[in-house]
């Protein structure tokens, strides 16, 4: 038999490589921006159309390329950035694989314009699916312009797999922001469908963060500074009170390269322990400088994960640097009346401060939200459908309430009796067994601040508190959206919230569904949203967080496979507002939650398809004793 192995033709090899390098338009954006930075540009323009599906163009004023280099740059493993394997250990460029341009040119229509300072004229190259279509001499300014059209034109399967324009746009914005945050000294412009989204002048780290995330960000930032032999840490964390339920504004840069690291993230979060509510995340923008030979960035094709030689030390240093920054910062508020009072409070989510007098707590409360959703008001309106879930309030209204479980319980006693009453009435028809059991015993207890344990006729059930509450809220929201349509509570004073420009773009896109939900908007501006009405079950103090979560869920691919818009929205809301693992529930709240759960249409499975409870029968227990 003849030999059967052949070398793959270049264009096939390139297409295969492209599968790794180019997952979506945002990958192209990242590669092109990085090339522009490596070329020493101090001004970079990014232009996209239709989420990058129609056009991605990056224009820089860097060193440009000679005609020969321009041709070579599209060859695989063609790079000016490393010459030998040793160079891999002292990398100070973004690129080094020499794969990006070859990969991109294999799966798109690419047009390159480039000129070096010293050359009279530049060169224009057009390449389609790895084939050079034209090469011309051209007049063009110093630097490089790379234009990528019809991404995946020759791989329909990949093209069809792209998400909606909005989702792809969001991925691009993410990449853009990462690069822009890593290089504040470089000026960036970003145009989306012909309009300017970002115009970021050359500045410092702090100013760049503010320019990207909006004017309100400045006051949230606490500087972090630490220099040791292993690592130099600079950057900012956000003050604890600005922590969010959604992840998003969390950035690590190592030697000015954005990286993801669950391990380092943990270091930061653990430094915040006790300062923020469980399930919330601090924002951070942390720049780590290490010796390039002490890291390996070669472990991931898209290079967002790196390996440190001495990860443990970096973890410890990072954690202590942040603790230090937080500590320093916490000294200041005593003297500064502008500071939020929350920061002076010795809060601890472990519920240590249960004896804090009621008065103190109310003082830290937002007076507006108190007006809108005070316990007295809700009980005054009778045992209506929405009141059934009022037990959520001590736990979700604000983090202040976490350490005053005791107080809230007293304040809501009357509420809960009516709550339980109504729930039981409903429960009776659906879950007879447990209803009877609950009637008789009516005891619940909380296990590990995570489960609610209660007895039923046949034994006992262990309920995941967070999932149970998600289910209860989910059905409530769905009902509100589908049946009642736009049940809105008008705010006494409109609420002004600031968002980044890219978030505003998303708010505008989902405006209709937000309105159906019950949100009413007075104004939507550059970085500001004024809200005059919110959905019935959303406490005013949670509005900002809910919107953040809606925005971040929308960016994820959630909406693609979800059945309908209202379903996504209900899911986001229930996820955001439900009690979390780690939150203490008093007895009445536990009871009310159990009752409400079994009044749901589907009480076994959470909205995210997870089991809500398990049953342990008497027999099961008997067996254990055999
Ligand atoms: P890498 O960045 O890993 O070297 P690329 O395929 O991204 O690989 O680029 C190949 C080469 O093309 C680079 O090494 C560089 O010499 C050249 N090049 C790419 N983009 C630019 C640019 N914007 N300006 C100048 N040279 C560039
Ligand atoms: Mg590159």
């Amino acid at each position: 038999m003849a030999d059967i192995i052949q070398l793959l033709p270049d264009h096939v090899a390139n297409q295969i490589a492209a599968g790794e390098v180019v997952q979506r338009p945002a990958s192209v954006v990242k590669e092109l921006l990085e090339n522009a930075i490596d070329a020493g540009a101090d001004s970079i323009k990014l232009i996209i159309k239709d989420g990058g599906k129609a056009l991605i163009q990056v224009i820089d004023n860097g060193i440009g390329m000679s005609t020969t280099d321009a041709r070579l740059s599209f060859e695989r493993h063609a790079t000016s950035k490393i010459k030998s394997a040793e160079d891999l250990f002292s990398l100070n460029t973004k690129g080094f694989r020499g794969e990006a341009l070859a990969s991109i040119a294999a799966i798109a229509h690419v047009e390159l314009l480039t000129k070096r300072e010293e050359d009279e004229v530049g060169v224009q190259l057009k390449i389609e699916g790895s084939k050079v279509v034209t090469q011309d001499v051209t007049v063009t300014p110093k630097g490089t312009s790379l234009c990528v059209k019809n991404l995946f034109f020759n791989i329909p399967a990949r093209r069809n797999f792209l998400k909606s324009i909005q989702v792809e746009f969001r991925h691009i914005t993410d990449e853009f922001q990462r690069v822009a945050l890593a290089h504040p000294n470089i000026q960036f412009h970003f145009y989306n469908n012909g309009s300017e989204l970002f115009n970021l002048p050359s500045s410092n780290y702090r100013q760049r963060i503010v320019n990207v995330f909006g004017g309100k960000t400045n006051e949230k930032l606490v500087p972090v500074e630490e220099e040791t032999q292993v690592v130099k840490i600079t950057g900012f964390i956000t003050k604890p009170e600005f922590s969010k339920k959604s992840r998003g504004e969390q950035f690590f840069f190592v030697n000015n390269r954005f990286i993801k690291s669950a391990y380092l993230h943990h270091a930061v979060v653990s430094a915040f322990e006790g300062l923020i509510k469980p399930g919330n995340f601090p924002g951070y923008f942390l720049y780590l400088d290490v010796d390039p030979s002490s890291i390996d960035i070669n472990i991931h094709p898209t290079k967002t994960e790196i390996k440190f030689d001495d990860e443990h030390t970096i973890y410890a240093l990072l954690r202590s640097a942040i603790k230090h920054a937080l500590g320093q910062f916490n000294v200041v508020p005593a003297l500064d009346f502008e500071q939020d009072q929350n920061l002076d409070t010795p809060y601890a989510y472990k519920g240590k401060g249960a004896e804090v007098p009621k008065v103190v707590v109310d003082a830290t409360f937002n007076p507006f939200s108190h007006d809108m959703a005070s316990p007295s008001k809700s009980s005054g309106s009778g045992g209506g459908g929405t009141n059934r879930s009022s037990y959520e309030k001590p736990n979700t209204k604000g983090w202040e309430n976490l350490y005053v479980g005791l107080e809230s319980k007293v304040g809501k006693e009357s509420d809960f009796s009516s709550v339980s009453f109504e729930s039981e009435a409903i429960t009776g028809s659906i879950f007879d067994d447990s209803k009877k059991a609950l009637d008789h015993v009516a005891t619940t207890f909380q296990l590990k601040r995570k489960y609610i344990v209660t007895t039923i006729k046949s034994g006992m059930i262990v309920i995941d508190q967070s999932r149970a509450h998600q289910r209860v809220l989910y059905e409530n929201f769905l009902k509100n959206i589908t049946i009642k349509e736009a049940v809105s509570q008008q705010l006494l004073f409109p609420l002004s919230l600031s968002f980044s420009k890219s978030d505003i773009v998303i708010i505008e896109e989902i405006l209709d569904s937000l309105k159906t939900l019950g949100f009413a908007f007075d104004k939507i501006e550059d970085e500001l949203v004024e809200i005059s009405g919110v959905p019935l079950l959303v406490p005013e103090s949670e509005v900002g967080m809910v919107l953040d979560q809606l925005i971040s869920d929308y960016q994820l691919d959630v909406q693609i496979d979800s059945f309908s818009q209202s379903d996504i929205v209900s899911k986001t809301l229930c996820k955001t507002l439900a009690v979390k693992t780690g939150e203490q529930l008093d007895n009445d709240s536990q009871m009310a939650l159990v009752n409400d759960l079994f009044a749901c249409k589907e009480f076994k499975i959470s909205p995210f398809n997870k089991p809500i409870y398990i049953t342990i029968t008497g027999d099961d227990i008997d067996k254990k004793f055999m």
Side-chain angles (χ1 to χ4, degrees), residues 71 82 93 172 329 357 365 374 421 489:
R71 279 298 285 261
I82 57 171
T93 53
I172 289 174
F329 163 72
F365 238 42
S374 75
F421 182 81
Q489 54 185 17

Side-chain angles (χ1 to χ4, degrees), residues 164 166-167 553-562 565 568:
S164 65
Q166 292 87 342
V167 171
D553 280 1
Y554 182 77
Q555 312 158 20
L556 296 175
D557 306 349
V558 185
Q559 88 266 21
I560 301 301
D561 34 44
S562 275
Q565 192 78 27
I568 309 155

Side-chain angles (χ1 to χ4, degrees), residues 31-32 34-39 60 62-65 69 72-75 78-82 94-103 112 114 143-146 303:
E31 293 297 338
L32 298 187
E34 291 190 345
N35 279 347
I37 291 166
D38 285 345
D60 69 55
I63 56 170
M65 284 179 264
D69 282 351
L72 259 181
S73 68
F74 291 98
E75 296 295 325
T79 180
S80 56
K81 298 169 194 174
I82 57 171
K94 308 269 151 191
F96 58 88
R97 292 163 185 266
E99 270 181 334
L101 291 190
S103 300
L112 167 77
T114 189
T144 303
S145 154
L146 233 144
K303 294 168 272 157

Side-chain angles (χ1 to χ4, degrees), residues 217-269:
T217 318
N218 198 23
E219 63 185 274
K220 301 181 187 173
L221 301 177
V222 182
V224 180
E225 210 84 48
E226 189 78 64
E227 192 159 357
T228 71
Q229 289 196 318
V230 187
V231 58
K232 177 170 170 246
I233 303 167
T234 47
F236 302 89
I237 47 178
T238 57
K239 293 176 189 171
E241 82 260 36
F242 295 109
S243 68
K244 291 181 179 174
K245 284 206 174 142
S246 58
R247 300 188 51 169
E249 286 167 22
Q250 285 124 1
F251 297 88
F252 283 119
F253 301 92
V254 174
N255 298 354
N256 286 331
R257 186 193 291 277
F258 171 82
I259 60 140
K260 287 182 185 152
S261 167
Y263 185 66
L264 294 184
H265 173 75
H266 189 269
V268 178
V269 172

